[in-house]
Structures are given as C-alpha cells and as structure tokens.
Amino acid sequence: MRAAQVSKLEGPEAVEVVEIPEPASYPGGVVIDVHAAGVAFPDVLMTRGLYQMKPELPFVVGGEVAGVVREAPADAHVRAGDRVVALTLLGNAMAEVAVAPAQMVFKLPDNISLEAGAGILFNDLTVHFCLRNRGRLAEGETVLVHGAAGGIGTSTLRMAAALGAGRVIAVVSTPEKAEVAKANGATDVVLTDGWLAAVKELTGGRGVDIVLDPVGGDRFTDSIRSLASAGRLLVVGFTAGEIPTVKVNRLLLKNVEVTGAAWGEWVMTHPGYLAEQWAEVEPLLASGKIAPPQPVLYPLERAAEAVASLDNRTATGKVVVTLR
C-alpha cells in the first residue's frame, strides 16, 4: 500500500510517500480502507521527534482517518461496509489501509463526507473537551479563540454556539484569515494587532468568559487581561513555539483561572470518555447544529506539503490528506 512515512526526524520535508506492507490486524482492531486522513499540529512535532509521544522510526504520519470498514471483530459496534472515523494512535493514519482499536472507531453521519469526516475527531473533540470539561462553558457565555482560522480555531467557531456560547470572538492575523473565521461562524473578528483593546471595546470593558488558546507565545499575558471576573484561560498548545509563563498574582487579583486542556492525555487515562464525547457530538453533527468542517485537501503525493502548512502557519481551517 501507499503511505506517507517519516524515516528521519528532519521536519515535514522528511515526509515521503512510499510503498509498505499493509498493517496486520490485532485483537480488537478494526481494519479500515482509508479515504482521507487528518493533519494536526502534533504531526509536525512528531516529524522532529519533539512530541511527548515518540513512535519508533520509520512511522506513518497522522493519527485520524475516515474510511470504510473492511473487517471488524464480531462483537464490535461497526461492521464491514460502514463509513467511519477513527483514531489510529501514534501515527499509522496516512496510508491506504489502517487499523484502529474498536473503541476509537465511530460511525460517520450520512450527511458528512469522508473528507470532512477526517477533520472531525482530533480538533472537534479537543474543543468539546476544552469547552465542556475544562472550561465549564455556561449558557450564553462569551468565548474568545486565538488562531481562529486554524484547525482548532475553526472547530471552536463551528461548535461553540451549539455547546452553549452566546458570543464567539475570533482573533486572526490577516484580513484573509478574518474571512475564514467569519465563514466558520465567528460572531466578531479582531486582528492580532491591538486585539486586546478591540475585545475590551466589543465587550463594553467586561472582558470574555473563556479564552481558548492553541497559540501561546507573547499574547498570553494579554489573554489573562482579557478575562472577565471568574474567567478561564484554556491552554491548548503552543503553535507560536514559545511556552509562556504566568505571574500568579494576576490570577489572584482578577479571580481568574489558567487551565491546562490536554485532550489526548485525558482520553488515554479516562476509559470510555471518547465514546461519551461522540455520543454528544455525533447527534449535533447529524442534525446540522454543528456544521461539518470544510477541509483544505491535499493528495497523498503532497503529504509533506500538507504537514508543512501547519508548521509555517499558512494553513486555514482543517488540513486533510486524501488517499482514495
């Protein structure tokens, strides 16, 4: 089968399309004919050996797929022919065939294409975890999201209202990305240059209830300043590269929180949580209350370019590699 593989830790440019044997199944594994695979920022880190989990070389890039079940255990909740989305764990996604644990495979609603489906699990369930679990989003609250034209950002814009937010403010770096944010459901859009003052003006000086930050870097302190009393700043990642620090007296004086939101770690340490999430998110997707992602598609031959688009921050929305 064809697959996008990393054999040396030299960044996205080291991703190569190669012919390798199809993966062997295992007890409890579901064999999937892959139509599309999602790309996420951890994939960038893994191509350099910088992610907290490090697969052995060589490894197939990616951790989420959409496709059609070829073979499933007799007691699984999916069967041959089902359209599914799945998490493959530690790579193994950007290949024509993948095997995923049955508990991480879910039927895809009929109204969502396989290409869009490949962009759902990693980003949408991260956002669901952030807003529902770690952010304790209450009905009508205001959510601000940094990097709003990226994968996590657009997921937040698509999902926040369905999960209860009354207002969703997008922070983006360019007018072009502002259009992406608006298309994905932002209530308001502000540019990174002067964003804090703009947000204060939009909220009448009150500030926002939740900041969802996958970017990090030098805007972190201003994110704390943007919070209303009892606001929550959710630390999701550091695509800017710099891991910021916080002076905790700011938290004390404003009665605000800085909260870590590592979805992957939570899923791995809380059995059954993934299924609980899907049980809430799937009906919202099926009913159209949450719009499906509109991914940027790359063919497998351009897998390196797809991963690099997240590295150089030119990506808008969810990036997906197509295999069929």
Side-chain angles (χ1 to χ4, degrees):
M1 68 175 185
R2 296 182 307 151
Q5 188 180 75
V6 169
S7 57
K8 48 189 177 181
L9 300 176
E10 296 179 354
E13 61 273 17
V15 176
E16 299 177 303
V17 178
V18 297
E19 288 278 349
I20 60 174
E22 290 188 1
S25 189
Y26 46 76
V30 176
V31 181
I32 301 168
D33 289 322
V34 178
H35 285 244
V39 185
F41 195 72
D43 298 326
V44 175
L45 299 177
M46 287 169 69
T47 66
R48 295 194 173 98
L50 298 178
Y51 196 53
Q52 55 260 43
M53 293 179 282
K54 297 174 173 60
E56 291 184 13
L57 292 171
F59 64 86
V60 174
V61 184
E64 57 183 335
V65 301
V68 177
V69 174
R70 178 192 293 183
E71 179 186 333
D75 59 349
H77 58 286
V78 295
R79 62 185 63 188
D82 284 346
R83 299 165 72 252
V84 295
V85 291
L87 297 174
T88 58
L89 301 177
L90 279 183
N92 303 311
M94 286 185 208
E96 292 177 321
V97 180
V99 182
Q103 67 270 23
M104 294 189 173
V105 180
F106 303 99
K107 290 184 181 179
L108 183 65
D110 292 338
N111 61 317
I112 298 178
S113 71
L114 289 167
E115 291 80 11
I120 287 176
L121 286 183
F122 191 90
N123 287 349
D124 284 12
L125 297 190
T126 291
V127 170
H128 177 270
F129 170 70
C130 288
L131 296 181
R132 272 278 193 262
N133 186 304
R134 305 299 288 150
R136 309 183 307 280
L137 174 65
E139 194 73 26
E141 287 191 318
T142 297
V143 174
L144 179 146
V145 58
H146 289 294
I152 292 292
T154 52
S155 281
T156 304
L157 300 177
R158 290 173 33 251
M159 297 179 65
L163 298 179
R167 189 177 196 178
V168 190
I169 301 174
V171 181
V172 297
S173 58
T174 68
E176 293 75 20
K177 290 183 177 181
E179 293 304 314
V180 173
K182 291 174 185 176
N184 280 275
T187 310
D188 305 275
V189 183
V190 299
L191 295 176
T192 50
D193 186 18
W195 73 269
L196 177 59
V199 168
K200 288 290 190 180
E201 183 176 352
L202 283 172
T203 60
R206 176 183 177 274
V208 302
D209 299 293
I210 293 176
V211 173
L212 196 151
D213 182 13
V215 177
D218 57 9
R219 68 183 73 178
F220 194 78
T221 298
D222 279 348
S223 290
I224 296 173
R225 294 186 175 119
S226 76
L227 291 172
S229 180
R232 291 84 74 199
L233 168 54
L234 305 178
V235 181
V236 187
F238 313 103
T239 60
E242 178 189 344
I243 298 177
T245 58
V246 58
K247 294 183 177 179
V248 295
N249 64 309
R250 297 183 186 276
L251 313 183
L252 172 66
L253 295 174
K254 291 199 65 179
N255 282 302
V256 295
E257 304 170 34
V258 173
T259 300
W263 169 73
E265 188 277 339
W266 193 272
V267 166
M268 297 306 294
T269 56
H270 292 74
Y273 179 69
L274 197 61
E276 292 174 16
Q277 285 192 286
W278 190 249
E280 180 175 350
V281 172
E282 189 274 338
L284 297 173
L285 289 164
S287 68
K289 290 184 178 179
I290 295 176
Q294 299 177 14
V296 178
L297 302 178
Y298 289 80
L300 179 62
E301 291 74 19
R302 295 172 60 197
E305 184 180 343
V307 178
S309 72
L310 273 70
D311 191 30
N312 58 33
R313 301 181 69 179
T314 58
T316 55
K318 178 67 177 183
V319 175
V320 166
V321 170
T322 57
L323 291 102
R324 281 181 169 81

